[in-house]
Amino acid sequence: RKEVEQDPGPFNVPEGATVAFNCTYSNSASQSFFWYRQDCRKEPKLLMSVYSSGNEDGRFTAQLNRASQYISLLIRDSKLSDSATYLCVVNGGYSTLTFGKGTMLLVSP
Amino acid sequence: NAGVTQTPKFRILKIGQSMTLQCTQDMNHNYMYWYRQDPGMGLKLIYYSVGAGITDKGEVPNGYNVSRSTTEDFPLRLELAAPSQTSVYFCASSGAGLAGEIDTQYFGPGTRLTVL
């Protein structure tokens, strides 16, 4: 089983749609979880951390299910500017993070 | 606050040449990292450092070397460049959580390297 697995997509959605991404991780000892966003040919940027109780930041909601070892990201009211690749990130050890290969989102007018 | 800076932004090397990719962070982070990202692929960890004077290999260290003489700087050295090293190289840094574990990583803008 890969350390962090994501559906590569692309997910094609119209503006205003709600879209959800899931990610599974293999290391049951992982304690830190993040969603990053990467625009084409740009560096990854933190979108949000993921907490055990779930957390929301505007149109974005992240959930963590430790028992099933998966993380989700929900985007409501999608904007054209949300088009990007979304990276699921889990701490792979005490000092390193493991990045998934990403899920591509394309939002169309 | 510049965050993580990388130079150069672009470079073309001939096979067998060497170069150093520079990375500097001004956030006083202990943890620093070098990744490479090939087109359409995920990030692969090359080397990392948990503090000045301490470095360790990541997933794909062959063909690269690093040093960490200061908290701020973490240069990546390519010796005898090969076409397989054509990639985008990202440097990142991270602070530590309450228990000293890795926290959010912040990335530099990347260096686009082509080896011909």
Side-chain angles (χ1 to χ4, degrees):
Chain A
R1 183 179 180 182
K2 295 180 183 176
E3 292 189 62
V4 179
E5 277 197 81
Q6 298 182 249
D7 182 340
F11 284 57
N12 288 284
V13 302
E15 272 187 295
T18 296
V19 62
F21 307 136
N22 289 328
C23 156
T24 58
Y25 62 94
S26 61
N27 186 354
S28 59
S30 294
Q31 295 294 323
S32 302
F33 309 92
F34 309 91
W35 282 101
Y36 276 69
R37 169 194 169 125
Q38 186 173 26
D39 293 296
C40 187
R41 298 177 64 79
K42 298 283 190 177
E43 73 272 25
K45 293 184 178 179
L46 178 69
L47 179 66
M48 58 197 303
S49 301
V50 185
Y51 303 118
S52 296
S53 55
N55 48 300
E56 187 174 307
D57 183 1
R59 298 181 293 108
F60 300 86
T61 300
Q63 297 281 350
L64 169 64
N65 185 317
R66 287 186 185 272
S68 300
Q69 294 181 209
Y70 82 77
I71 307 158
S72 65
L73 177 68
L74 182 76
I75 305 175
R76 292 180 299 278
D77 189 22
S78 297
K79 311 292 185 189
L80 294 175
S81 57
D82 292 335
S83 295
T85 296
Y86 291 84
L87 308 177
C88 176
V89 185
V90 176
N91 73 298
Y94 192 78
S95 310
T96 60
L97 295 179
T98 300
F99 287 76
K101 292 185 178 181
T103 298
M104 183 181 292
L105 172 65
L106 299 172
V107 182
S108 55
Chain B
N1 191 337
V4 181
T5 57
Q6 292 183 238
T7 57
K9 291 185 179 178
F10 304 92
R11 184 71 185 268
I12 298 174
L13 284 181
K14 294 181 179 178
I15 295 172
Q17 287 185 319
S18 300
M19 76 165 294
T20 299
L21 282 66
Q22 302 291 346
C23 175
T24 300
Q25 54 93 8
D26 62 3
M27 296 174 281
N28 200 33
H29 286 164
N30 283 330
Y31 298 131
M32 294 190 74
Y33 306 83
W34 276 105
Y35 296 90
R36 61 176 286 175
Q37 187 174 36
D38 299 331
M41 303 296 287
L43 294 165
K44 293 184 178 179
L45 182 64
I46 304 171
Y47 270 97
Y48 67 101
S49 170
V50 300
I54 306 170
T55 62
D56 209 346
K57 295 178 181 179
E59 182 184 357
V60 290
N62 292 341
Y64 308 95
N65 279 299
V66 294
S67 59
R68 184 96 181 270
S69 57
T70 66
T71 299
E72 295 78 19
D73 301 306
F74 191 41
L76 177 71
R77 178 81 177 162
L78 277 73
E79 304 283 1
L80 299 175
S84 60
Q85 293 179 305
T86 295
S87 191
V88 180
Y89 292 83
F90 290 109
C91 179
S93 73
S94 170
L98 293 176
E101 76 284 7
I102 183 175
D103 202 348
T104 306
Q105 276 189 9
Y106 297 91
F107 285 79
T111 294
R112 283 154 183 78
L113 175 67
T114 301
V115 182
L116 300 173

